[in-house]
Amino acid sequence: MSTQDVALVVDEAVVAGDVRATLAEGAGELLEAVELFDVYRGAGVPEGRKSLAFSLRFRAPDRTLTAEEVSEARAAATALAAQRHGAVQR
């Protein structure tokens, strides 16, 4: 099992659950769980936007995942969030 966190800045109107679903779709079959653990508004985040922090847990049932596999899955997830929701990594 491997866990990676990602913080994404999105417009205030974007629903966290929609971003969560997009991350799950983009990460693919290696993703075991994705959980929102923080919503931040304040210094470093432009007005009218918020930062959503998610924990992504990856696992393969038959082997140990490589760091490269996990990083690629995370990158695919964040790319899809950027495309669909205008998310920018914080």
Side-chain angles (χ1 to χ4, degrees), residues 6-86:
V6 62
L8 302 171
V9 176
V10 296
D11 285 336
E12 191 65 53
V14 174
V15 177
D18 293 345
V19 178
R20 183 192 173 284
T22 299
L23 289 171
E25 180 183 341
E29 64 185 35
L30 296 178
L31 185 72
E32 181 177 72
V34 57
E35 297 178 21
L36 176 69
F37 68 86
D38 188 45
V39 178
Y40 175 77
R41 297 167 182 90
V45 177
E47 190 170 327
R49 295 178 63 83
K50 61 188 172 187
S51 174
L52 304 174
F54 294 90
S55 180
L56 288 77
R57 187 172 64 231
F58 298 92
R59 184 188 311 257
D62 59 340
R63 62 192 165 75
T64 300
L65 294 173
T66 66
E68 183 178 335
E69 287 175 304
V70 173
S71 292
E72 286 176 3
R74 179 181 180 268
T78 57
L80 191 59
Q83 178 186 344
R84 289 194 183 159
H85 306 291

